Amino acid sequence: MSLVVYLAGAVFGLSCVVLLRRPLAVPRNPLTVSTCVAIVLGALVFVCSAPLTLSAVNRLTGIANFGAPLTYGMLSAYSCSLLVLLINWRGGTPARIRRLVLRTMAAYGALIVAIVVLFTLAGPSTERLTDLDTYYANTPYMREMIVLYLLGHSAATLVMCAVCVTWSREVTGLLRTGLRLILTGILLDVVGFQLAKYTALVARWSGHDLDFLSTGVAPPMASLGALTCSLGFVLPRLLPVALACRRDLDDLRGLGPLWSEVRFASLAPKPPMAVWQPPRVRLHWREVSIHDGLLALAPYFDDGVRERARDAALHEGRSAHEARVAAEAAMVSDAARRAAAHEEPRTTPSTYRLHATEVAGTGGLVELAQALTRSRLTATVPEGTVRATPG
């Protein structure tokens, strides 16, 4: 079970890294800070609650079950961080936010002190690593400590449920999806962890044994809820970045035919090599290099080649824009062939501007690369081949 809990804590904690655009920088946005603090505390709760950690803590401190108030105190701090996150998320005047945050921290600080005091008064001597809640359910002071930490956690999660339901009706897109994932994770915690714990405790108080709910159902459900919550935290920021990287990679591959045509003429300096570069960096370098290559080929541009290719494309029924791009591809291909053969540039340089140099971004270059690919495919069709026409 420790492995599952450690894995949940690791994934929960890694989502904090995703939320920080520059992990080495100190974040100044209170919402980002409170979100990351909540995620880190949630990860620490899982680490502290693992049986291996509990055993190590008990052995190092020499106090039986010392890991229990440590875990419960960490869980209470996590519950407090959830409410602080909601306060910062809701917003308001700085004075109001500061006042509510201080009140919340004071309340949960008192709860943590009460947990430690009750544990000290109880003095449990029998070490229990997985079933402490139910084993000590009827022990004075321990009983109150267990109920107290559960009530503190329940209060925070129920408030967060209510806020997520309200906000998910007011927002759209990825933010709504993220809120619903957070809500789902919290509901898994409420139903799978808290309700299971409460039921097992009540069963003990009434003389029954439903310990499996506390030891077998609650931990994996809490882990699943935490993973779902972490996905809700990072999705609104991670998915747009992932989609942007995919678009950059698609454009990078799309520029391949054009780059292979003009790369010999490009004199753009190569960037410093790195083990891994973001697609955006590679795409920017390729775009600059292609523009440099096209500039070097400009003295070889033949307007006659372009006009004949444009007329042929129009005769085939292509639109004016498609015909223009196809004609430019033919002109670039002809210029690259003559430049590679070391022929002399044209005595009267063309003043024509390519469509790709008139538009921002890589869209025009990708169009030109696609036209080059089509022209190469057309050139490979043997003469006399009969093409089927729809009809």
Side-chain angles (χ1 to χ4, degrees):
M1 186 175 70
S2 295
L3 180 60
V4 175
V5 175
Y6 286 144
L7 180 61
V11 175
F12 201 44
L14 284 175
S15 59
C16 176
V17 179
V18 176
L19 290 176
L20 291 175
R21 295 181 181 178
R22 294 178 297 173
L24 299 179
V26 178
R28 297 182 179 180
N29 186 346
L31 180 58
T32 301
V33 173
S34 56
T35 303
C36 291
V37 169
I39 292 175
V40 170
L41 288 175
L44 290 176
V45 170
F46 284 105
V47 173
C48 291
S49 64
L52 286 177
T53 304
L54 294 174
S55 177
V57 169
N58 296 339
R59 184 174 62 256
L60 290 174
T61 59
I63 302 175
N65 299 307
F66 183 82
L70 176 64
T71 302
Y72 299 157
M74 196 68 68
L75 181 61
S76 299
Y78 171 63
S79 302
C80 176
S81 68
L82 291 179
L83 294 179
V84 171
L85 171 60
L86 291 178
I87 293 170
N88 283 297
W89 206 343
R90 185 175 181 180
T93 62
R96 179 180 179 276
I97 293 176
R98 188 181 306 109
R99 183 171 62 252
L100 291 177
V101 168
L102 290 176
R103 288 178 180 176
T104 303
M105 294 176 66
Y108 277 89
L111 174 62
I112 294 173
V113 172
I115 289 173
V116 175
V117 171
L118 290 171
F119 176 81
T120 304
L121 293 174
S125 58
T126 304
E127 184 182 58
R128 311 300 298 186
L129 300 179
T130 58
D131 62 345
L132 183 139
D133 289 350
T134 51
Y135 184 84
Y136 288 106
N138 292 308
T139 302
Y141 300 116
M142 286 294 288
R143 174 181 58 239
E144 287 76 12
M145 181 194 75
I146 294 167
V147 172
L148 198 59
Y149 95 79
L150 284 174
L151 288 177
H153 184 54
S154 297
T157 52
L158 290 176
V159 170
M160 198 161 187
C161 277
V163 173
C164 286
V165 169
T166 301
W167 286 350
S168 63
R169 297 171 181 170
E170 300 174 357
V171 297
T172 58
L174 286 177
L175 183 55
R176 172 184 287 183
T177 303
L179 284 172
R180 289 179 175 176
L181 285 171
I182 294 173
L183 176 62
T184 302
I186 295 174
L187 289 176
L188 287 172
D189 184 278
V190 171
V191 177
F193 175 76
Q194 298 173 36
L195 186 59
K197 288 283 187 180
Y198 285 127
T199 304
L201 288 175
V202 172
R204 276 284 186 166
W205 295 339
S206 61
H208 298 85
D209 186 353
L210 293 178
D211 291 4
F212 75 94
L213 292 176
S214 178
T215 59
V217 175
M221 291 299 291
S223 300
L224 181 60
L227 294 177
T228 307
C229 276
S230 65
L231 183 61
F233 284 131
V234 304
L235 182 66
R237 297 191 183 186
L238 180 62
L239 188 58
V241 174
L243 292 177
C245 286
R246 180 177 178 179
R247 287 193 297 268
D248 292 340
L249 286 173
D250 289 342
D251 287 346
L252 194 62
R253 286 191 293 267
L255 290 177
L258 181 57
W259 174 234
S260 64
E261 191 78 45
V262 304
R263 66 183 304 171
F264 75 94
S266 177
L267 299 178
K270 293 184 178 181
M273 298 300 294
V275 177
W276 183 86
Q277 290 180 332
R280 171 65 61 180
V281 174
R282 287 183 286 162
L283 178 62
H284 176 70
W285 178 80
R286 179 160 292 186
E287 181 183 0
V288 171
S289 299
I290 288 176
H291 277 295
D292 186 77
L294 291 174
L295 183 62
L297 293 178
Y300 294 90
F301 286 170
D302 188 338
D303 288 331
V305 172
R306 176 179 56 80
E307 291 171 359
R308 289 191 296 273
R310 183 197 58 196
D311 293 341
L314 290 174
H315 182 72
E316 293 175 0
R318 299 188 190 182
S319 66
H321 178 71
E322 292 174 343
R324 176 184 178 181
V325 176
E328 292 176 352
M331 183 174 65
V332 169
S333 180
D334 175 74
R337 178 186 59 78
R338 289 191 290 111
H342 302 289
E343 296 183 11
E344 292 295 326
R346 293 182 58 81
T347 55
T348 305
S350 172
T351 59
Y352 181 81
R353 291 191 60 188
L354 298 173
H355 171 69
T357 63
E358 295 179 342
V359 296
T362 57
L365 293 176
V366 171
E367 276 188 300
L368 185 59
Q370 292 171 344
L372 277 171
T373 302
R374 285 192 296 268
S375 65
R376 291 173 182 173
L377 291 176
T378 303
T380 59
V381 177
E383 292 186 5
T385 299
V386 179
R387 298 181 182 179
T389 56

